Amino acid sequence: MKERTLAIIKPDAVERGLIGEVIKRLEANDLKIVAMKMVYMNKAQAEGFYAVHTERPFFESLTTFMSSGPAVVMVLEGENVIGRYRELMGATNYKEAAEGTIRREFATDIEKNVVHGSDAPETAAFEISYFFNSFEIVD
Ligand code: GDP
């Protein structure tokens, strides 16, 4: 099934000069980028994006981190792209992520884990619309 997903190169990765590394892996794995821009979220914007995690103990820290510097947001499109991209990212905790995944290779912390990817079609739809309008997504 053709899907879209929201991908983020998080502030830790932008600061460490890993934008190119992540994009190279997307392209090498045939994950098509149909929208892309840089954003610098403020705290309220990060809280809105992670609203589903409001009750989690790491919510405050996570939203402070996500508003600590610029991030690159992208829309990826393709067959089963949600699962394919999550596979490429690796598990949330980089220590548990499979060899060769982005998080296993580059994450330094369970929170500063380099990349974000939507986990289901419903969350993808919300997350894409949080950053992009329809004119910003290439057909
Ligand atoms: P994801 O879908 O793999 O990004 O994971 P989640 O949706 O569960 O969590 C969202 C983000 O919160 C993760 O990517 C991490 O940046 C952060 N996070 C998850 N679990 C923890 C945790 O136990 N502690 C901290 N500090 N951050 C966490």
Side-chain angles (χ1 to χ4, degrees):
M1 192 178 61
K2 196 167 172 180
E3 294 173 330
R4 282 178 175 172
T5 193
L6 184 85
I8 305 181
I9 304 175
K10 294 184 177 182
D12 59 326
V14 172
E15 182 171 1
R16 291 165 61 208
L18 294 173
I19 296 174
E21 182 63 47
V22 173
I23 290 176
K24 185 178 81 180
R25 285 163 183 252
L26 297 178
E27 293 184 331
N29 286 276
D30 243 353
L31 296 177
K32 188 177 168 200
I33 301 166
V34 294
M36 175 161 63
K37 64 185 169 190
M38 187 170 262
V39 297
Y40 192 158
M41 283 185 271
N42 63 31
K43 186 75 158 59
Q45 289 165 334
E47 287 168 0
F49 178 70
Y50 276 121
V52 292
H53 289 321
T54 311
E55 303 301 327
R56 306 282 279 274
F58 54 82
F59 181 71
E60 175 60 28
S61 171
L62 173 63
T63 53
T64 298
F65 160 54
M66 291 300 286
S67 57
S68 68
V72 174
V73 290
M74 291 172 278
V75 179
L76 311 179
E77 184 179 83
E79 293 292 321
N80 300 314
V81 73
I82 295 173
R84 286 167 55 215
Y85 175 53
R86 285 192 70 88
E87 208 168 297
L88 191 67
M89 288 197 303
T92 308
N93 184 347
Y94 72 103
K95 292 179 180 165
E96 291 162 11
E99 289 291 343
T101 59
I102 294 171
R103 284 168 165 172
R104 178 60 177 253
E105 294 204 7
F106 299 107
T108 53
D109 186 292
I110 189 168
E111 182 175 277
K112 295 178 179 59
N113 59 1
V114 181
V115 280
H116 166 85
S118 312
D119 62 3
E122 302 73 36
T123 45
F126 165 75
E127 293 177 0
I128 290 168
S129 68
Y130 198 77
F131 291 108
F132 294 97
N133 67 47
S134 59
F135 299 104
E136 295 175 303
I137 302 173
V138 184
D139 222 346

